[in-house]
Amino acid sequence: MSPYYYWLIATAFLVILELVTAGFGVICFAIGTLIAAILAYFELGLEFQISAFIVGSILALVFIRPFALKWLNKRGGEQVATNADAIIGRKAVVTETVDAVKGTGYVRIDGDMWKAVSADGSVIEAGTEVTVISRDSIILKVKKEK
């Protein structure tokens, strides 16, 4: 079998590997193998193919990857909050009085209970609507709505 086919198999493997990983790094090596496959197709020597693979991969890592990451991570100029960070800024209802002295306080957001502390140290009675202003692990810092 021609080296051309080996390079194409390697390219296909690396493209599949990129699809199951994140970071747009493996695809740069796939670009290098594709360039080497082209040289193998024109029956250039193995040393040219390996050199093309190395140079093509490095150039892709240096020039293509940063632009691809910037384009892929573009979200209209703002980062989208995910998971627990998505609750920052949301409204919640106090289900157990928030009192720093007693160490009590829970709020409910979308049916989930979260331990809460007051942002200014004040006592917030049960039933009060609050806004989540930050999160420290599983404890939310909240402030009373005015």
Side-chain angles (χ1 to χ4, degrees):
M1 185 160 46
S2 169
Y4 168 72
Y5 294 109
Y6 291 116
W7 287 112
L8 285 181
I9 291 169
T11 302
F13 173 76
L14 291 171
V15 168
I16 292 168
L17 188 61
E18 177 64 37
L19 292 174
V20 297
T21 61
F24 204 76
V26 178
I27 197 72
C28 294
F29 294 104
I31 292 169
T33 58
L34 186 60
I35 294 169
I38 293 168
L39 293 182
Y41 179 79
F42 290 111
E43 298 180 357
L44 292 172
L46 184 61
E47 61 277 351
F48 288 112
Q49 296 169 31
I50 293 173
S51 297
F53 165 70
I54 293 169
V55 171
S57 297
I58 290 171
L59 290 175
L61 282 168
V62 171
F63 292 109
I64 297 173
R65 185 172 186 264
F67 293 110
L69 288 175
K70 186 176 180 180
W71 181 76
L72 289 172
N73 292 329
K74 194 175 200 178
R75 300 249 195 303
E78 64 184 56
Q79 290 292 334
V80 175
T82 59
N83 299 330
D85 289 331
I87 64 174
I88 296 172
R90 301 263 317 267
K91 304 285 188 226
V93 176
V94 176
T95 58
E96 179 184 311
T97 301
V98 176
D99 188 343
V101 175
K102 293 181 182 176
T104 61
Y106 279 90
V107 296
R108 181 182 305 273
I109 300 176
D110 296 333
D112 294 325
M113 299 293 289
W114 290 81
K115 176 81 174 144
V117 296
S118 174
D120 59 4
S122 64
V123 175
I124 305 173
E125 296 298 324
T128 307
E129 189 174 80
V130 294
T131 301
V132 178
I133 59 170
S134 68
R135 179 184 68 85
D136 183 19
S137 184
I138 59 170
I139 301 173
L140 303 180
K141 190 177 282 188
V142 297
K143 69 176 181 177
K144 189 186 305 188
E145 285 298 302
K146 295 181 182 187

